[in-house]
Amino acid sequence: MDNLASLRSVENVRLVDRFNTRQQIIGTLFLTSTHIIFIDPEGKRETWILHSFISSVDKLPITQQGCPLRIRTKHFFSAEFIITKERDCTDLHATLSQLKPDSYEKLYCFLYQAPNYLEKIWDPFLLATEYMRMGVPNHDWKVDDSNSSFDICDTYPPLIYVPTSTTKAMLLGSSKFRSRGRLPVLTYLHPNGASITRCSQPLAGFSARCVEDEQLLQCILKTNSQSNTMYIVDTRPRINAVANRAAGKGYENEGYYSNAQFKFCPIENIHIMRGSLQKVLEVCEMKNPSMNQYLNALDNSSWLQHIKAVLDAAIFIARAIDIEKKNVLVHCSDGWDRTAQCCSLSSLLLCPYYRSIHGFRMLIEKEWLSFGHKFSDRCGHLRTNDNKEQSPVFLQFIESVWQLSQIYPTAFEFNERFLISLHDHSHSCQYGNFIGNCEKDRLDLGVKERTYSYWNYILQNVNDFKNSLFRPQSSYASEVLLPIIYPQTLKFWLNMYHRFDSGLLPKENIPNTLTHLVDHTTALNDHARLLEKRIRELRLTLENGITTPTSNEDIHELQDNHNITSFIEHDSGLSENELNQTTIESIQPKSLQPLNSSSDIESGISSDYSPQNKHLTSSYILQHQSSSEINDIPTLERIALELNSIALDWRSYNTPFHCTCSLPFDSAQRKYNCWRCGENFCIRCIEHGIRLPGLYSNSLVPVCKTCLRSIKLSPVFVDGSMPNKSNYRNQTDIKLPTSVFDQKQI
Amino acid sequence: MDNLASLRSVENVRLVDRFNTRQQIIGTLFLTSTHIIFIDPEGKRETWILHSFISSVDKLPITQQGCPLRIRTKHFFSAEFIITKERDCTDLHATLSQLKPDSYEKLYCFLYQAPNYLEKIWDPFLLATEYMRMGVPNHDWKVDDSNSSFDICDTYPPLIYVPTSTTKAMLLGSSKFRSRGRLPVLTYLHPNGASITRCSQPLAGFSARCVEDEQLLQCILKTNSQSNTMYIVDTRPRINAVANRAAGKGYENEGYYSNAQFKFCPIENIHIMRGSLQKVLEVCEMKNPSMNQYLNALDNSSWLQHIKAVLDAAIFIARAIDIEKKNVLVHCSDGWDRTAQCCSLSSLLLCPYYRSIHGFRMLIEKEWLSFGHKFSDRCGHLRTNDNKEQSPVFLQFIESVWQLSQIYPTAFEFNERFLISLHDHSHSCQYGNFIGNCEKDRLDLGVKERTYSYWNYILQNVNDFKNSLFRPQSSYASEVLLPIIYPQTLKFWLNMYHRFDSGLLPKENIPNTLTHLVDHTTALNDHARLLEKRIRELRLTLENGITTPTSNEDIHELQDNHNITSFIEHDSGLSENELNQTTIESIQPKSLQPLNSSSDIESGISSDYSPQNKHLTSSYILQHQSSSEINDIPTLERIALELNSIALDWRSYNTPFHCTCSLPFDSAQRKYNCWRCGENFCIRCIEHGIRLPGLYSNSLVPVCKTCLRSIKLSPVFVDGSMPNKSNYRNQTDIKLPTSVFDQKQI
């Protein structure tokens, strides 16, 4: 980046989009220390490309308009910038080609200054907590600290979980017999007692054996009394496993592991996967292919076939655990790529917890970070990384989760945006989480002291990452998922690979529309609750001729009045009259399936905005009314404010193409409705975390800046909004260019 | 059907599903005069197959369990029924193979007894009305009645529209020169004056010419002064057109039609399309294909390639009309297959009207019915139809519309259910609309006197066919659509071809969930409106110490009271206080984009349930209050009833798997929420068209039978529900088995 100073901006650059060839936009290209920025003076386009994302920069043959420079990124952006002067293009090319850091210390995460709402706080992830959640240690499984100084295996966590019956000698012996010392350790324990253990391939060659390793596997087998055998799932095609024997590696000799059933899964190695992704990218860049050429090229890439292989292996493991109740030991070669994919996906299928945002984080922390997936090597964070070590292993996992979420739209708490963000930040180096190749690397680099945590960023923006169709109460969200993957069910992930080609995408983003509708329903429901309460109060007051009850005595008098009954019963769903007239039978469906508090959650309303109130029973109402409702009949002005504070109609999601701040909306961006005026705003123009007087619940909800000012100026408005740092970002803080990346830019 | 009496039912039949092979269900197979019915005594499954749908019945090799009979239908149902006794199977096979009628008179539409809510009323379609909508006749175009007795062309309508400058001689000459007498006539006139005309191929052979035809084309060219040339779009591959010359047909000789630009579109003929669909069905029935095999087979079927060819041709025509402002003459061979596809699709792209339900009907009536698409031949309605005449031409049109609706989810008023229904009923022969091969056939058969109309069925159930994402105000819904069809944007239509393979489909139907959310939002919005009104009334009353205003004098007094202001202003969005404190600028966004009545429509709420109320301005409120609000302060009991009548929480769409009537829900079925109790019900258990007291609007909304009974028994309930025959079916009428087909069964 040394010659950066000499070249800070290039004017009259034409940006040519992959799928909008007619739309050439002329603007200026700026080079900052972290981004390439293209700005069109008319404000039609503002494109930010983080240096860490750049995967290739190519000079293309000169055209009449100038010298085209093609930039491709790791998150599937590809564009040509046509530069008038060839000299500028050559300089730019040279500069950009040298951008990738040559040491960890120069990575973006060590420079990144987050907006104020993010702090350098690392919510501690303790592997032990996750194992405790699974009930470990217990009678069968113990924790072992032999690796506390990374002596046994430097790519494993300090604490490992092994059968209680194992000895130190077994662990040591087994670790010496396994590639990279990665001995079999517990990674998932199912409620039925069956477990997933993971390791690397044995150094068996054609004949070597290791008694300690065999003993360790016997110990694992015996932790589960339900079966006399266990599976050893080798996630490689059999031919690969056999070929490895020539190098003194290979797989377990069936003769020495008599109680094991062997299963090979045809997941290809990192080199084939890298080649496959390369072919996918070529498919994406095809110019005017015929249907035939497209399907052929997609087929030839084998990408979906590889995804299916990963999913099929994971489903095999999940079936073995849940249906056959057998222990499963999973390995590939080194046990940090295919093994990580299969163990994490089968855990996701087996355990609903991992389908929540928090649980999914735990899954990543455990299977990918603790057990040493080589993020820096696979993503190519450094210039010094071997290109042949790069491979889309994590992307395949992310895509497999997405494919499952397409089959089970209600089973996952997180949305597509979350998965895309997770993939992108494994490459961005903006947060310290995915830096290095194992826990030891990150400890040595001190990432927890020196960088921001990705999970903190997610937590602060959690509403953007929630799936509005999620229903924790539904069977798919609460049970083991054992799908059959038909080729017909796998889709090419347009929103991942073509996300920047808006010309090719549908003209409406359905998940965003769903979120919009769910939020609107929540707002109306909450408002109607308050209105119903106010009507009850007002009618009671009117009925009793009391204009302003001020003491508790008044309230008790009110309660004694028999007329209350007809009002309070509405919440039970049936009036006295009806109860007398309808038969028990006709009410039954209602009593068998009561509308209770869970219905909010079931309808997908699980955002922080949702009212937390239970569906009130008559008796609860009475209690509740005495304590708060009647006690607090609001003034005339307050009621005016309440009615005034909630928009009944919301502007539809896709109507406005610009925010009032003139920022153009595109399909990748989330728009926010102001709950007070109902208009759409961009993330910069919406304020989070206000308590609106027109809501029954005390929820913090989003409003636009104008409405916020208006409502705060009202003399009767009591500002109950304590900006809750841990739940809501303070928007005014994040107008810095760097933060824009978080939300939208490339 | 003569031996039907001898075989009315077979017991102990196993139903084997294509994608649920483990799920064999044992039940009884019944044969009625119209359906094959499979009923499982445990009520897990009830399958109705209309005879008209059966496309093939095959005896498969005997297995241990019995003799399998495979039934395939024209709407992509395929199942094996394993029959214990071979004799029964042979009998059944013989019976079923003879089911198809051998004459029009025996078609289902002439036997079908519709539920009472449907009447044998044919909303008259007058071609002239549709042309008048386009501004025809006018200076350039006239109506001609030469064909009033079908003398010129028996597959054309009695009235045809031609340039005003044409003579009878030209029309007669041209009709003799064109295949089947199908001379060039107007089918679509764009607001810019450019037009689409359609015809069949000329009988040109290698050298023949027809001066009248050349003159007619000159007349057509001259109707549009914006261009000196016009397009002749031959929708066949050039090689087909050339080959036809040998048979004395072919295409226009460029030398004789000097002002024409020729364009060939590579849409294949009916035989290739039939073969392609056959291959698609084979793809659908593949057992455990690999990803590779599946993509290969899909590619080999060329189905999506054919769809793309049809769409590309239509888009070419639409561009020529809208961008190049040139007239386009479209033909293929006979001008009733590819020509119908291209003319109707390009009209749909050009004219937003055709994207509404009513407009789409007009499009079908005009392009497919009036201009003689051979439905009976192409769908194979009769045993006597030549198998080689069958072809999925109409299906391809329907799928092309669906593909467009996937690209523009907000541009179409109708939903996927509507398109599937339309396809199915072109085969079912349940309604008279699609019987015969042209208007003349239907006139001769007297279908309008003797059968029910499909459009009447649609009209009576219109809410089921509305797209909840439709936004008539959005640009996509109100402008010309000129997409580029990338191969990536075309999807295999799972919900059409795999609709009965629920194991393969996503576990949630997103469009249904959207409909559910939109309905819930509408209900809450409407209820909140009423509640806000009541609060205003009650507070006014309280404020003025008036408990029951009975005379108009009281009301005027109330209005004069200055205190009203603070209440009524809430509708303007800003209180007096705020108006003083906020700057004009900060209010601007709100005044520039006012929340008006259209926001309901824009948010996709365009169902009959949506409130029709304008967003009220202060002045409107004053007026409105004086006339109705204050005048009508309800009693205590009435308010209790109002609060009682609307459920705030709705049961989520996919939670219940059974209706309270024990009917199992499946993904194909629409569920209905009762607006009063919020539970889900099947179509048989929901009552339509009740006015609930808790709503501001007077909309007719759905409630369940139990709630209906309860609410009607309330002494203060005024039944304002006049079951509006033209908008709501009377549910109690449609419990007959025949009607079940309409909603769900196969």
Side-chain angles (χ1 to χ4, degrees), chain B residues 417-433:
Chain B
R417 191 191 306 268
F418 176 70
L419 292 173
I420 293 175
S421 157
L422 190 56
H423 166 263
D424 291 356
H425 283 294
S426 72
H427 288 283
S428 74
C429 301
Q430 187 168 1
Y431 302 100
N433 308 63

Side-chain angles (χ1 to χ4, degrees), chain B residues 44 80 148 222 615:
Chain B
K44 281 185 210 142
E80 279 176 39
S148 58
K222 286 188 181 146
H615 188 79

Side-chain angles (χ1 to χ4, degrees), chain A residues 453-470:
Chain A
S453 167
Y454 173 68
W455 306 118
N456 196 13
Y457 158 70
I458 290 293
L459 206 69
Q460 298 293 326
N461 298 276
V462 71
N463 283 315
D464 290 348
F465 298 114
K466 284 188 171 172
N467 167 19
S468 44
L469 288 172
F470 178 51

Side-chain angles (χ1 to χ4, degrees), chain A residues 388-435:
Chain A
K388 288 199 175 150
E389 279 284 306
Q390 290 191 37
S391 190
V393 175
F394 190 59
L395 169 62
Q396 287 183 322
F397 162 70
I398 295 287
E399 174 163 340
S400 299
V401 177
W402 179 80
Q403 298 280 4
L404 288 174
S405 77
Q406 296 300 296
I407 302 173
Y408 300 103
T410 60
F412 294 84
E413 190 190 7
F414 46 83
N415 58 18
E416 181 181 67
R417 190 191 305 268
F418 176 69
L419 292 173
I420 292 175
S421 158
L422 190 55
H423 165 265
D424 290 357
H425 283 294
S426 72
H427 287 283
S428 74
C429 300
Q430 186 167 1
Y431 302 101
N433 308 63
F434 306 104
I435 302 305

Side-chain angles (χ1 to χ4, degrees), chain A residues 407 507 527 532 567 636 715, chain B residues 407 507 527 532 567 577 636:
Chain A
I407 302 173
K507 305 291 178 263
H527 186 48
E532 290 196 346
F567 286 106
L636 187 79
Chain B
I407 301 173
K507 306 290 178 262
H527 186 47
E532 290 196 345
F567 286 105
N577 199 346
L636 189 78

